Amino acid sequence: SSAEAAATESIAPKCRFCVFESGYSGHFETGFGLLSGDGAFNFGDYTGLDDTGLTLIAGASARWREEDGAGYWDAQLSDLGLDSRRIEIDGGAQGLWAASLSFDELPRRLYDRAETPFYGVSRTDLQLPAGWTSGASTMAMPDLASSLNPLDLRQERKRLAAALSFKPAASWGSSLQVRRDVRRGNRLAGASFITMGSQFPLPVDSSTDQLELSTHLNGRKWQAVAGYYGSFFHNDHEALSWQNPYTPLVDGGDFGRLALAPDNQFHQLSFGGGYQPLRRLRLNAHLAGGLMRQDETYLPATINPNLMVALPATSLEGKVNTLNARLRASMGPWSGLRFNAAYAYNDRNNRTQQHFYTPVLTDVLATDPRRNLPYSFTHNSAKLGATYRYRSLAQLSGGWEQDWRSRSYAARARVEESKLWMRLRLDPPGPVSVSGEYALSSRRGSSFRAPEEGRPLENPLLRQYHLANRERDTAALTISVNPVVWLSADVSTSYGHDRYKDTELGLKSRRRTGYGANLSLRPEKRLSLTAFWSQDNLHSEQAGSQSFAQPDWQAENRDLADSAGLRLDRKSVFGKYDVGIAYEFSRSRGETEVSANAASPAFPDLSSRRQELQLYSLIPLRPKLNLRIDYRYAHYRSRDWAIDGVMADSISNILWTGQTSPSYDVQLIIMSLRYEFK
Amino acid sequence: TWAQKPAAVEPSEQTATPAFSAKGADTCLKCHDEESKFPVISIFRTRHARPADAHSPFAGRQCEACHGPGDVHARGADDDPVPPMRSFGIGKATPISKQNNTCLSCHAGGHRVSWPGSEHERADQPCVACHQIHAPSDPVLSATSQAEVCFGCHRSQRADSLKPSSHPVRQGKLACSDCHSVHGAMGEKLLTSPTLNETCYRCHAEKRGPFLWEHEPAAEDCALCHTAHGSHNPALLVQRVPLLCQSCHEPAGHPSVAYSSGGLAGGTANGFLLGSSCMNCHSQVHGSNHPSGATLTR
């Protein structure tokens, strides 16, 4: 009775009433958007709506279906007048082959009110104005205030992708996907001469090419896939140099140089399969082997000609092998009862050669030779689980998981974690259903050891949180109410607590609690309403030692986030208008307490608050011609003590860029005509 | 009426020798027109209604290819209740495993090889919990509308997507399926690549390295410092700097100082606290390939 068997038999009755699609159809949309208000630059982050005034609104779609055939083409063009435009075209002969081509732009708008005295002879050679008088601190730079120029921090990511797939028979098919991501723009980065630092724009001009080839085969009781994935990153720039605005600490210390992300490659072969030897037994296996390579020619150890040291190699010749394997069995020996078992192996084997390098610390000071420590790790995990379902009334699940990790050069060579979990879902007759889950895990490991040669000496009481002993509890509860088909609501709560009881220095606790409520109404086909609210609390505690001895300070972070939303859609008002309203609200607050200095006042809160209201209506003017009117109001405020009020010369040893926390208060009106054709 | 919940008794198609209706879809369309309680005409604008594709249901038993033999149902159209057919959705009489096997009988290959035993399958999710089979444009297949489908169950991820620092899911520029292979995957959390880091490197390949000087946690697990779905902190960090860095670093000669509010702008304006904090100097936190970048400052 399988659909495939039914579909492939030549048994299709002649259908008189079937309205199979053929020919062309689609729509054109064009109009304008009027954006007004403050902070449009920030509003344009990811949306492309970053300029006040008029904006072209344009989009289209087209589709074609072959009459009595399998040929088809689809095209979608959206946001053509914005920097977030997207074009997708796909087509082929359904069931035999398909091809697609897409283009997508992703605009990032980071900060528009930054400022810097640096200017680029090229974008990777930042210099200060001619005649710059250096100083021992930012306050002692007489030319700083008059040399500041506005700086926009923005990026554009353009993605071009193509895919081709063949399915010559129901039993096998192949596909090829290629994608090129090109990024242009800048971001902020910092660097220093010992502790005399500067922030400046760093170019992110780069491209990544990805290629995926896969083939799948299907048998009656088995399926198999095999594939290759390749990723090739290319950075247009290898380094960024900048002029030292401070009084040089050493002769020749007039410039510094930062290495940018090196070109690299990743190749991976993967195989997977599923086999069902018995009706109630299913086996799955996956294997993937990868190779990372990086062979960018090294920069000199320093840009300072007086401190030049020899390098042991001209490039890293970095090689990392990865191996990932997973086996999984799913068995249901009796009705209602099912067992799952899984084993996973993930290995990163860094085969990069080791050499002794003589670092010239921040282009100022040649230090003792230091050996690179290629990082490797292995992660094994095993899982056993069972689920028992009593009819559709109740479902009880439980399981055990074990995790083993080993790491090279880490303060702890091995850790292992055990986890027990259970989940219960009750769905009795009536409108209420309940689901709850609880999990408990415990992590232990080998003894902590002294750092490897060449690594900084850390306080021996420190327990890094990915290595430390840990007890973890997580729980969740959801109550759903579904009194009538068209109404559903639920409330939920969740809790998670990581306790690092044996940690004296480092993270000691992280606790998360969450609450939520959701409502969905669809009393008739033309009317729908959804609403949600959620709250999220994150609390962490840690201890530090400024005396490099016993703990002598504690800190707490409390982050609170609320979000809520409402959406109402109504179709065919007065028989012809579609209207809708959507509202979103989110806010967050971050509290920071550091206990060492009781005389200091509390940190101000970090905060953000966003509201967005959208209204739309679709008004039919003529058959096939509609007028769409959208109104959008968006308000965002954020405060961050780390950057607000920090000017270029506020910090004596950091030449800062003076940006402020993002905020906006904008209104957008869009009027567009939409013509549909067939 | 209470919302319909799965019945203990399966539909009659399970117990009797089923018969297909003699006229196939024509029989169904007599009742299921656009005015009926269950309109179906929109399916003719989908891939399933392509008779020229030998794999399409409409090249075979048409509606009954998926909904099962419908002769009894059609003959009892005036009965109350109407004899059931194979129906799809949460709370429908047809068991979810049977619903899904219907889909998998054609769609078991490719990335669905891992469906059995995967997270969504173990959670008893029917295919139609996410897919609208009769809709000309299935919302879950579009980046702009997919997240709303996923958020129907994954509520905390929706809340995270509204936080100040988040991936562009809310703006429709990133789909959940760009990172998650929802039909089953090799790695944890249904990620598209075998590991979390390999998934992140699909868009952030500049952080892949390998670097001469590695920041080990970054090379191993991006989630040690970042939270993927949304954060109150810049750059999706799990905690504010400098406290995040001070959770793991207490080196000799570079003490882990308790930076207090006295170091804010307007006070002493401490460069270890303000701006990018530790990253004012140690900006190469994902690794450095500079021969002098051992401390991730170059």
Side-chain angles (χ1 to χ4, degrees):
Chain A
S1 62
S2 75
E4 185 180 30
T8 52
E9 294 168 14
S10 299
I11 49 175
K14 182 108 178 125
C15 186
R16 287 188 300 144
F17 301 138
C18 292
V19 281
F20 295 116
E21 185 183 7
S22 65
Y24 291 94
S25 61
H27 86 278
F28 295 107
E29 183 172 7
T30 186
F32 67 89
L34 179 62
L35 184 68
S36 60
D38 300 321
F41 182 90
N42 297 128
F43 181 66
D45 191 25
Y46 290 128
T47 68
L49 289 158
D50 57 358
D51 284 325
T52 53
L54 284 176
T55 302
L56 172 69
I57 301 298
S61 71
R63 53 193 276 153
W64 171 79
R65 294 294 179 272
E66 183 183 5
E67 188 170 3
D68 297 327
Y72 73 99
W73 285 102
D74 285 297
Q76 291 275 348
L77 299 83
S78 53
D79 296 328
L80 294 177
L82 304 175
D83 289 340
S84 55
R85 62 187 58 83
R86 173 185 280 153
I87 298 170
E88 295 172 289
I89 301 168
D90 68 279
Q94 187 179 310
L96 293 175
W97 66 273
S100 68
L101 187 67
S102 66
F103 175 76
D104 196 9
E105 286 190 47
L106 196 72
R108 291 298 332 257
R109 301 292 179 260
L110 304 171
Y111 296 104
D112 65 335
R113 281 168 284 186
E115 51 190 16
T116 181
F118 293 104
Y119 68 93
V121 172
S122 69
R123 296 180 60 215
T124 54
D125 181 11
L126 299 177
Q127 300 210 2
L128 294 161
W132 176 268
T133 306
S134 59
S137 72
T138 56
M139 294 85 162
M141 295 174 183
D143 307 319
L144 179 56
S146 60
S147 304
L148 293 173
N149 292 307
L151 173 66
D152 269 8
L153 292 154
R154 63 172 75 202
Q155 298 168 18
E156 313 288 340
R157 181 189 286 258
K158 297 181 180 178
R159 175 174 296 169
L160 184 64
L164 187 62
S165 63
F166 292 97
K167 193 176 181 185
S171 59
W172 74 281
S174 283
S175 68
L176 170 69
Q177 296 176 57
V178 293
R179 185 175 111 179
R180 162 162 275 215
D181 284 37
V182 177
R183 284 172 79 193
R184 293 284 180 269
N186 54 24
R187 65 176 177 87
L188 280 180
S192 66
F193 299 90
I194 307 296
T195 58
M196 310 306 285
S198 303
Q199 288 275 318
F200 35 71
L202 181 146
V204 294
D205 306 338
S206 62
S207 62
T208 305
D209 294 310
Q210 296 179 75
L211 183 150
E212 278 186 280
L213 180 65
S214 73
T215 295
H216 68 268
L217 298 165
N218 301 331
R220 196 168 65 84
K221 291 185 173 182
W222 57 270
Q223 298 83 34
V225 292
Y228 164 78
Y229 170 72
S231 173
F232 308 84
F233 171 76
H234 170 72
N235 199 334
D236 293 358
H237 313 293
E238 61 175 7
L240 172 73
S241 61
W242 77 102
Q243 187 177 345
N244 186 357
Y246 299 92
T247 307
L249 298 168
V250 292
D251 285 346
D254 301 314
F255 282 88
R257 184 160 53 200
L258 200 62
L260 303 184
D263 293 2
N264 66 71
Q265 299 181 8
F266 179 56
H267 306 266
Q268 188 174 56
L269 288 172
S270 63
F271 305 92
Y275 178 52
Q276 193 159 1
L278 304 169
R279 192 169 70 88
R280 294 180 181 275
L281 175 63
R282 172 81 186 190
L283 305 172
N284 274 94
H286 273 96
L287 182 70
L291 172 64
M292 295 179 188
R293 300 205 63 164
Q294 191 272 103
D295 199 19
E296 179 90 16
T297 303
Y298 283 143
L299 297 170
T302 175
I303 196 171
N304 187 335
N306 300 326
L307 297 174
M308 207 55 76
V309 294
L311 297 178
T314 55
S315 68
L316 181 65
E317 295 187 19
K319 295 186 192 75
V320 175
N321 288 112
T322 63
L323 183 62
N324 316 102
R326 182 165 175 149
L327 300 170
R328 195 168 65 199
S330 179
M331 181 170 59
W334 299 288
S335 178
L337 180 64
R338 197 164 81 166
F339 297 102
N340 288 291
Y343 169 74
Y345 175 83
N346 291 311
D347 182 65
R348 181 191 203 254
N349 179 15
N350 195 333
R351 294 164 47 229
T352 303
Q353 277 201 331
Q354 290 185 287
H355 295 288
F356 279 93
Y357 294 81
T358 303
V360 180
L361 186 64
T362 63
D363 291 304
V364 170
L365 179 69
T367 57
D368 292 338
R370 187 164 165 175
R371 195 172 53 153
N372 61 311
L373 302 174
Y375 185 54
S376 299
F377 61 84
T378 303
H379 176 202
N380 286 275
S381 70
K383 298 179 181 180
L384 289 174
T387 299
Y388 176 68
R389 186 192 310 138
Y390 179 69
R391 298 192 173 180
S392 57
L393 304 176
Q395 183 172 304
L396 177 65
S397 309
W400 164 84
E401 297 176 7
Q402 188 72 23
D403 203 80
W404 301 269
R405 290 174 194 258
S406 59
R407 300 172 169 98
S408 64
Y409 308 117
R412 198 177 211 186
R414 290 179 304 281
V415 296
E416 63 178 89
E417 184 163 21
S418 303
K419 178 179 176 181
L420 289 171
W421 62 272
M422 64 173 296
R423 188 178 300 131
L424 177 65
R425 199 170 96 193
L426 296 173
D427 210 0
V432 179
S433 59
V434 180
S435 68
E437 59 186 66
Y438 176 72
L440 168 70
S441 61
S442 175
R443 186 171 70 193
R444 294 287 181 273
S446 57
S447 335
F448 282 83
R449 59 190 181 187
E452 291 285 331
E453 175 194 6
R455 303 202 66 145
L457 179 65
E458 295 279 1
N459 189 314
L461 298 177
L462 174 69
R463 297 291 179 261
Q464 294 170 326
Y465 60 83
H466 64 298
L467 304 175
N469 291 350
R470 180 180 71 186
E471 311 297 326
R472 169 175 282 180
D473 295 282
T474 60
L477 177 70
T478 301
I479 301 172
S480 303
V481 184
N482 197 195
V484 285
V485 174
W486 52 268
L487 187 156
S488 65
D490 62 66
V491 292
S492 60
T493 181
S494 61
Y495 170 82
H497 193 181
D498 291 351
R499 286 163 292 166
Y500 303 86
K501 285 182 176 174
D502 300 325
T503 295
E504 293 185 68
L505 283 179
L507 185 67
K508 295 173 75 72
S509 165
R510 184 171 282 160
R511 190 174 65 237
R512 182 172 199 148
T513 52
Y515 308 93
N518 294 273
L519 174 69
S520 178
L521 285 166
R522 197 178 174 91
E524 56 164 305
K525 273 195 286 189
R526 296 175 303 169
L527 177 65
S528 66
L529 182 148
T530 56
F532 67 90
W533 165 82
S534 72
Q535 188 180 80
D536 195 26
N537 298 280
L538 187 64
H539 179 211
S540 59
E541 297 175 327
Q542 68 189 87
S545 173
Q546 43 195 6
S547 55
F548 198 72
Q550 295 294 313
D552 52 22
W553 60 271
Q554 279 77 41
E556 291 185 48
N557 268 151
R558 285 191 194 83
D559 293 340
L560 174 73
D562 285 293
S563 61
L566 173 77
R567 183 177 183 94
L568 175 68
D569 294 285
R570 176 78 161 88
K571 292 187 184 301
S572 300
V573 178
F574 303 124
K576 58 179 180 179
Y577 304 113
D578 293 352
V579 296
I581 179 171
Y583 174 74
E584 275 181 359
F585 169 80
S586 64
R587 69 177 177 186
S588 64
R589 189 178 77 236
E591 300 172 5
T592 309
E593 285 180 32
V594 179
S595 67
N597 190 347
S600 293
F603 277 86
D605 288 348
L606 305 154
S607 67
S608 73
R609 184 184 181 91
R610 187 177 74 87
Q611 295 186 79
E612 191 158 329
L613 174 71
Q614 292 186 64
L615 304 169
Y616 78 86
S617 64
L618 195 65
I619 302 166
L621 301 177
R622 292 181 183 175
K624 301 182 180 180
L625 183 65
N626 296 302
L627 171 66
R628 184 176 168 110
I629 303 175
D630 284 82
Y631 171 77
R632 193 165 163 186
Y633 167 72
H635 170 90
Y636 181 66
R637 287 284 180 278
S638 61
R639 284 189 300 174
D640 182 347
W641 45 251
I643 60 173
D644 291 335
V646 182
M647 311 307 290
D649 60 353
S650 295
I651 309 169
S652 64
N653 64 327
I654 303 292
L655 202 168
W656 186 243
T657 33
Q659 67 271 28
T660 55
S661 295
S663 65
Y664 52 77
D665 200 342
V666 297
Q667 297 186 74
L668 174 68
I669 297 171
I670 294 176
M671 298 186 74
S672 60
L673 286 170
R674 181 186 170 99
Y675 175 74
E676 296 185 359
F677 64 91
K678 166 135 184 71
Chain B
T1 58
W2 300 126
Q4 192 181 15
K5 290 191 171 175
V9 179
E10 296 186 6
S12 59
E13 63 164 295
Q14 306 304 309
T15 54
T17 302
F20 290 98
S21 58
K23 295 185 177 177
D26 276 349
T27 308
C28 310
L29 293 169
K30 279 182 183 173
C31 297
H32 294 281
D33 58 19
E34 284 304 274
E35 304 304 316
S36 78
K37 186 178 177 185
F38 300 107
V40 299
I41 301 299
S42 58
I43 198 167
F44 293 108
R45 284 173 62 80
T46 72
R47 299 173 65 85
H48 280 140
R50 301 288 289 165
D53 174 6
H55 312 296
S56 161
F58 271 77
R61 290 290 184 183
Q62 301 169 343
C63 309
E64 292 165 278
C66 299
H67 289 278
D71 188 55
V72 173
H73 173 80
R75 289 178 191 277
D78 295 328
D79 296 350
D80 186 16
V82 178
M85 290 188 70
R86 193 183 304 161
S87 51
F88 294 84
I90 295 172
K92 298 293 185 183
T94 305
I96 286 169
S97 61
K98 188 172 287 294
Q99 294 180 34
N100 290 352
N101 283 340
T102 303
C103 307
L104 290 167
S105 63
C106 292
H107 297 284
H111 58 281
R112 283 168 296 269
V113 164
S114 299
W115 171 258
S118 67
E119 282 83 343
H120 282 134
E121 196 264 353
R122 291 204 309 271
D124 245 1
Q125 290 302 303
C127 303
V128 297
C130 304
H131 291 285
Q132 294 186 20
I133 308 302
H134 288 190
S137 299
D138 187 355
V140 82
L141 298 182
S142 165
T144 53
S145 51
Q146 183 187 80
E148 271 308 307
V149 179
C150 303
F151 291 159
C153 294
H154 298 279
R155 271 67 182 271
S156 66
Q157 281 75 15
R158 174 170 59 192
D160 284 346
S161 75
L162 298 173
K163 289 178 178 171
S165 177
S166 62
H167 281 110
V169 174
R170 177 164 55 84
Q171 293 86 350
K173 300 303 285 183
L174 186 78
C176 306
S177 59
D178 286 333
C179 301
H180 297 282
S181 184
V182 293
H183 297 118
M186 181 176 178
E188 294 289 316
K189 307 284 185 189
L190 294 175
L191 291 168
T192 50
S193 295
T195 66
L196 172 70
N197 281 31
E198 287 173 21
T199 305
C200 301
Y201 297 151
R202 283 179 174 254
C203 291
H204 303 285
E206 75 279 8
K207 297 177 175 65
R208 180 168 51 207
F211 298 98
L212 169 59
W213 308 107
E214 298 190 296
H215 189 192
E216 291 88 346
E220 179 180 337
D221 184 352
C222 304
L224 288 169
C225 297
H226 299 280
T227 176
H229 295 119
S231 172
H232 171 67
N233 303 307
L236 292 160
L237 289 172
V238 295
Q239 194 185 7
R240 296 293 297 199
V241 289
L243 292 175
L244 174 62
C245 307
Q246 290 176 312
S247 295
C248 288
H249 296 289
E250 296 260 352
H254 192 330
S256 177
V257 172
Y259 300 110
S260 69
S261 61
L264 296 176
T268 57
N270 192 321
F272 295 94
L273 176 68
L274 298 178
S276 300
S277 183
C278 307
M279 291 173 288
N280 285 330
C281 302
H282 303 274
S283 58
Q284 306 281 53
V285 288
H286 298 105
S288 170
N289 208 52
H290 194 297
S292 297
T295 53
L296 306 182
T297 53
R298 283 293 186 270

